[in-house]
Amino acid sequence: MDSWDDQQMEIWQKEYSALVQNVAVPTLAFATSNLVISTVIFFSILVSLDKTGRGFTDMQTILGAIPLLGEKLEGLLANVDPKLGNGALSLLLVDFLAPLSIPLAVALSPFFSKWYTERFDIIRETLQNK
């Protein structure tokens, strides 16, 4: 493999830096903000279901009242721990609330974008100084 001269290295560093700024940073920023918001929503719902005593146990009762299928569903769901059921219900509600959480993630993305840009700049400077 041929070694690069200083001009080729400078061109590559500029292209790589542009790629990181234009692709990686926005992608990571949105993914991080979406993960943070989804996690907050998930645990908020989970804690509220746990504190109120509602959620999965109510769902078991409602599904048990369905004609013809109720007894089978109620028997199947009777084997599920209510805390696990509330977790599944919370996850379902996070997906249901995605149309509301995605705009929040977009709004929060610039904060994480700035954070990632600073980190990548530190890494780039460290690599250049070696």
Side-chain angles (χ1 to χ4, degrees):
M1 181 174 153
D2 296 328
S3 61
W4 291 3
D5 60 18
D6 290 340
Q7 184 181 8
Q8 289 174 319
M9 182 63 77
E10 186 177 332
I11 291 170
W12 180 83
Q13 285 175 343
K14 286 181 182 178
E15 289 175 356
Y16 183 76
S17 181
L19 180 67
V20 166
Q21 288 300 321
N22 295 329
V23 177
V25 169
T27 303
L28 287 170
F30 177 75
T32 303
S33 60
N34 195 27
L35 178 64
V36 166
I37 289 171
S38 295
T39 303
V40 167
I41 291 171
F42 174 80
F43 283 109
S44 297
I45 294 170
L46 187 63
V47 168
S48 66
L49 290 175
D50 187 46
K51 294 293 180 192
T52 61
R54 310 300 283 180
F56 186 71
T57 53
D58 291 336
M59 193 171 73
Q60 283 177 313
T61 305
I62 292 169
L63 291 176
I66 296 174
L68 300 176
L69 294 176
E71 290 178 16
K72 293 178 185 177
L73 289 174
E74 193 173 28
L76 180 67
L77 295 176
N79 297 326
V80 177
D81 180 24
K83 290 191 183 286
L84 182 63
N86 280 343
L89 190 56
S90 298
L91 189 58
L92 181 67
L93 289 172
V94 166
D95 287 342
F96 181 73
L97 293 172
L100 299 174
S101 66
I102 289 174
L104 292 173
V106 170
L108 193 58
S109 290
F111 169 77
F112 287 108
S113 181
K114 181 181 175 190
W115 187 84
Y116 278 116
T117 299
E118 290 170 357
R119 298 310 174 269
F120 282 129
D121 288 344
I122 291 169
I123 292 169
R124 188 178 67 241
E125 289 172 11
T126 303
L127 290 174
Q128 286 177 348
N129 293 334
K130 284 190 174 186

